[in-house]
Amino acid sequence: MQAASLQLLARFKDAPDWVTGIAIALAIVPLSLLYLRGSMRLYKDFPMMALVEDGLDPKESWFQKGPKTIQEGLRRYRGRPFQVMTGTGPKLVLPHRFAEELKTNENLSHNGAFAKDFFVGYPGFGPIADSLIPELIRTKITPALGLITDDLVDETTAAIQDILGENTEWHEVSIKQDVLKLVTRLSSRLSLGLPKCRDDRWLEITKDYTVHLFASARELRQVPSLLRPFVHWFLPESTRLRRDYQDAQTFITPEVELRKVRARKALEAGEKASKTADVIGWMYELATEKGQKVNYVDGLLEIGLASIHTSTEAITSALLSIVAHPEILQPLRDEVISIIGSEGWSRQTLYKMRLMDSFLKENQRCHPPNAISMNRLVTKDIKLSDGSLLKPGTRFIIPNVYTDPEIYANPEEFDPYRFLRKREKPGQTNSWQHVSLSSSHMAFGYGNHACPGRFFASTEIKIAIAYLLLKYDWIPTTGDEQPGTLVFETNTLVRPTAKLMVKRRKEEVALDCYGARQGFEHI
Ligand code: HEM
C-alpha cells in the first residue's frame, strides 16, 4: 500500500505546493490507521485468501493476480466461501453452487455493490447507479429491437466506411481503438438518433467519459480509502471525468429542451407526440408515464458506460479469436452470406445465425473479460444453505466456472460449435443462445440483475462482426504490438494497443443500408 501511495504522490509533481503538502500529510499520517480500520471490516467467519506463496498480501493478490487468487481460493477452501481484500474492502467469494439460491433473492443490491466500486457520489462519477435505465432497456429498447436493427445496420454501414475505409492493401490498425470508435457510433445512434448521434463532439464526450470513468475508478481503488475524498479532486483521470460530465451536460441539455418543446407543441396542437426511437425519447416517455423527473445526462452516460466498454471488448476479442483460429472464418462468412444474402437484415435473420451465436458464447467462455459475476451487496440478513450468515453490508462475488470439466467437456478447447451442438439437443434450443442466462455461463450475469442490454448487445455485435468479416481480411501483425492481455483485479482485457493487419475485400452479398428509418421519428 505504501508503494501505491508513493506512486500516487509522484503524480502530484506539477500541483501547487500547498496541494502537494496536504497530499503528503494525508498520505503518511493515516496509513497505519487505515490498516487497522481495514482489518476491522473483515468478515470474521470466513478465511482471507492471499497468494502468500507468490509473496503477495491479500490486496496485492487481488490487484495483481485476481483470477489466480480466486481459483486458488476455491481449491484451497474446497468449495467453502472465503474472502478477498479488494481495493474497496473485503468481498466474500461464494462458490458457484450458491448462484441458484441467490439469483432472485430480494435482499441483494447490484447498484449498491457497483456504487461502492465506482465511487458514485464523487462529482462526475454519478450515473452508474441510475435505476431507471435497466427498466428503460427492458420496457423500451428490447421491445423495439426489430426497428433498432435497421438503425444499427445503417450506422455500421457509415461507421465502418469512416473508420476502416477502402484500402485494399494490407495495413496495420489499432484494432481495439477502431472497434471502440465503431461501438461508440452504435451506442450513440441508440442514445441520440440521427443526426445528433454523428456529432463528433458527442462521440468524443461519450467515448472519453467511459474510458475516464473506468480509469479513474481503477486508480482510486488503489488509493487508501481515507485519502480518496481528497485525491479524486487531483487525479488527472478524475479531473478529465468531471470535465467530460460538464461537456455532456452542455451538449445534451439543449437537445432535450428542443425535444420537449416539440412534444409540447404537438400536444397543444391536439396531435400525439411522434413515436420515439432513441434513449432521450424513451426517457421522456418513461418519465411522463411515471410522473417522475429524470436526469437525461446521467441516463445517456449510463447507457454509454454499460454498453461501450463491454461491447468493445466482446467484438475485439471475437475478432482476435477468429484470427487465431482461421478455420472458423469461412464457416462464419458462409453463414452470413447465406442468411443475409437471401433474407436481408432483421431480428429474425440475426437469430438464424446460429454458428455466430455459438461462436460468440464460446468466445465469452474461453476469453472472459471478468473471472467473476454477480457482484452484490447484501441489504438484509441472508442465511445460505451451508448455514453461513451474510449480514447487511456484506459484499460478495461468484466466480465463473468456464474451465470446470464437469460442466464443459474439454474445457481448454476453443470449440465454436460447442453451444450449437448443445442447442440441438431436445428441449435445449433456447437454453444455450448467446443471450441465454445460466449459472454455468454468467457472461451477462445471472438472476434479477442480469444484463438487460444483452439483446441489444448481441444484435449489435453480430452485425459488427458480419461487416468486419465480409468486408475485410484480417491477419496477425508482424510488428511488436501482438494483441496480448492486461490483467487487473479479476479482469483480463485485450490490450488497448493491440494491432492487426487488415485489407478491404469485396463482400459476396450486399450488406449496406443507407438512410434513416421510415415512419418512426424522434420527438
Ligand atoms: C457484450 C456486451 C455486454 C456484456 C458482456 C454485459 C455484461 C453485463 C454484466 C455481467 C452485468 C452484471 C449482471 C449481474 O451482475 O448479474 C451487466 C449489467 C448491466 N448491463 Fe450489460 N453487458 C453488455 C452490454 C450492455 C449493453 C449494450 C447495455 C445497454 C444497452 C447494458 C446495460 C446493462 C445495465 C443497465 C446493467 C445493470 C443491470 C441492473 O442493475 O439490474 N449492457 N451487464
Side-chain angles (χ1 to χ4, degrees):
M1 175 156 61
Q2 294 225 4
S5 305
L6 290 174
Q7 267 174 13
L8 188 78
L9 289 172
R11 308 189 65 173
F12 285 90
K13 63 181 185 331
D14 298 328
D17 288 350
W18 66 271
V19 171
T20 313
I22 292 177
I24 290 172
L26 288 168
I28 293 168
V29 177
L31 281 180
S32 48
L33 207 88
L34 278 170
Y35 260 122
L36 268 177
R37 204 169 159 247
S39 60
M40 284 193 300
R41 288 197 304 258
L42 300 183
Y43 307 125
K44 67 180 172 46
D45 296 329
F46 300 91
M48 171 62 77
M49 175 62 205
L51 294 171
V52 276
E53 60 281 19
D54 293 358
L56 302 176
D57 70 19
K59 217 173 203 176
E60 290 164 344
S61 299
W62 172 260
F63 278 124
Q64 295 172 29
K65 297 191 178 173
K68 186 176 173 196
T69 306
I70 304 268
Q71 279 314 313
E72 189 52 29
L74 290 171
R75 200 190 55 77
R76 192 176 298 177
Y77 299 109
R78 294 159 192 257
R80 293 194 313 279
F82 60 94
Q83 59 185 312
V84 287
M85 181 52 84
T86 77
T88 54
K91 285 186 187 180
L92 287 185
V93 178
L94 302 182
H96 153 259
R97 69 194 149 95
F98 293 105
E100 287 301 337
E101 68 186 74
L102 289 169
K103 66 178 179 182
T104 51
N105 194 307
E106 295 293 335
N107 301 328
L108 293 174
S109 163
H110 173 264
N111 275 349
F114 271 85
K116 193 156 180 186
D117 287 338
F118 282 88
F119 309 102
V120 170
Y122 288 173
F125 285 70
I128 203 149
D130 191 328
S131 58
L132 188 84
I133 292 300
E135 182 179 349
L136 181 129
I137 298 172
R138 280 184 200 105
T139 61
K140 307 288 179 189
I141 297 182
T142 306
L145 262 187
L147 296 154
I148 291 173
T149 302
D150 291 350
D151 278 3
L152 290 177
V153 175
D154 180 43
E155 199 57 38
T156 310
T157 303
I160 287 267
Q161 179 64 25
D162 294 346
I163 297 163
L164 288 172
E166 295 291 330
N167 190 345
T168 50
E169 299 294 318
W170 284 114
H171 59 287
E172 199 177 60
V173 289
S174 289
I175 187 59
K176 194 164 187 183
Q177 300 310 316
D178 282 350
V179 172
L180 175 62
K181 285 183 207 154
L182 171 63
V183 169
T184 305
R185 289 277 295 260
L186 298 175
S187 166
S188 178
R189 179 71 179 252
L190 175 75
S191 295
L192 279 175
L194 278 173
K196 272 281 179 202
C197 67
R198 291 188 188 164
D199 188 306
D200 286 339
R201 188 72 198 105
W202 170 250
L203 290 169
E204 201 177 295
I205 295 169
T206 183
K207 176 166 73 65
D208 286 355
Y209 184 81
T210 306
V211 171
H212 293 150
L213 184 108
F214 281 97
S216 311
R218 203 174 60 191
E219 287 267 348
L220 273 183
R221 290 201 285 270
Q222 295 175 80
V223 172
S225 56
L226 277 186
L227 299 184
R228 285 179 198 141
F230 307 98
V231 167
H232 82 90
W233 289 109
F234 309 112
L235 273 182
E237 287 82 1
S238 310
T239 307
R240 284 190 213 120
L241 187 71
R242 287 192 295 277
R243 198 190 53 213
D244 297 336
Y245 188 83
Q246 277 166 4
D247 289 347
Q249 249 170 339
T250 310
F251 188 92
I252 298 293
T253 310
E255 179 66 14
V256 172
E257 288 313 312
L258 188 79
R259 306 274 192 107
K260 284 182 181 168
V261 169
R262 270 196 230 151
R264 208 174 305 129
K265 277 191 181 155
L267 290 177
E268 280 166 10
E271 299 160 9
K272 271 191 180 171
S274 304
K275 278 204 129 203
T276 57
D278 60 23
V279 172
I280 294 200
W282 285 312
M283 285 187 82
Y284 182 82
E285 239 176 54
L286 204 57
T288 314
E289 283 162 24
K290 296 175 90 104
Q292 191 181 319
K293 271 199 156 188
V294 293
N295 184 330
Y296 290 88
V297 179
D298 280 11
L300 292 194
L301 289 177
E302 191 183 340
I303 289 280
L305 280 176
S307 61
I308 294 176
H309 192 67
T310 46
S311 304
T312 299
E313 196 61 35
I315 297 170
T316 313
S317 159
L319 197 55
L320 292 174
S321 289
I322 294 168
V323 171
H325 300 272
E327 67 282 0
I328 190 62
L329 173 61
Q330 199 52 46
L332 284 172
R333 274 185 182 152
D334 288 345
E335 186 179 71
V336 178
I337 293 166
S338 144
I339 294 173
I340 302 303
S342 59
E343 300 174 60
W345 294 107
S346 72
R347 196 175 181 182
Q348 289 69 33
T349 52
L350 287 168
Y351 175 79
K352 287 183 185 172
M353 289 187 194
R354 285 175 159 234
L355 175 59
M356 173 90 81
D357 199 272
S358 171
F359 159 73
L360 290 172
K361 201 171 183 77
E362 176 72 345
N363 197 53
Q364 289 177 316
R365 188 189 71 80
C366 293
H367 303 290
N370 204 333
I372 59 98
S373 193
M374 291 186 80
N375 186 20
R376 303 282 187 268
L377 171 78
V378 176
T379 55
K380 279 191 192 155
D381 277 354
I382 295 178
K383 190 144 192 198
L384 296 180
S385 54
D386 71 345
S388 307
L389 180 66
L390 308 186
K391 297 209 173 107
T394 304
R395 289 179 302 156
F396 69 77
I397 49 185
I398 301 194
N400 294 318
V401 285
Y402 296 136
T403 52
D404 184 340
E406 291 190 7
I407 298 175
Y408 293 105
N410 305 320
E412 303 309 327
E413 190 187 330
F414 182 82
D415 176 2
Y417 296 86
R418 184 186 297 270
F419 294 101
L420 192 61
R421 283 196 306 275
K422 278 180 176 278
R423 287 182 69 185
E424 280 160 5
K425 294 197 177 135
Q428 300 284 299
T429 311
N430 295 327
S431 310
W432 300 104
Q433 293 181 62
H434 186 212
V435 292
S436 306
L437 303 173
S438 77
S439 62
S440 49
H441 199 299
M442 301 199 291
F444 288 113
Y446 194 48
N448 285 354
H449 295 286
C451 177
R454 64 191 186 281
F455 301 96
F456 173 84
S458 187
T459 303
E460 119 186 287
I461 293 167
K462 284 177 186 167
I463 296 170
I465 302 268
Y467 267 78
L468 292 171
L469 296 190
L470 262 68
K471 287 199 163 198
Y472 300 92
D473 282 318
W474 301 90
I475 51 169
T477 172
T478 46
D480 294 336
E481 289 295 352
Q482 299 301 323
T485 50
L486 278 180
V487 178
F488 184 82
E489 298 168 324
T490 49
N491 298 119
T492 304
L493 306 175
V494 177
R495 280 200 305 179
T497 51
K499 304 263 197 302
L500 280 181
M501 302 293 286
V502 61
K503 71 178 166 75
R504 180 77 163 92
R505 71 191 284 279
K506 176 80 192 103
E507 62 272 26
E508 289 81 351
V509 292
L511 297 176
D512 294 352
C513 142
Y514 296 96
R517 178 173 47 200
Q518 302 290 308
F520 204 63
E521 300 152 21
H522 305 294
I523 54 167

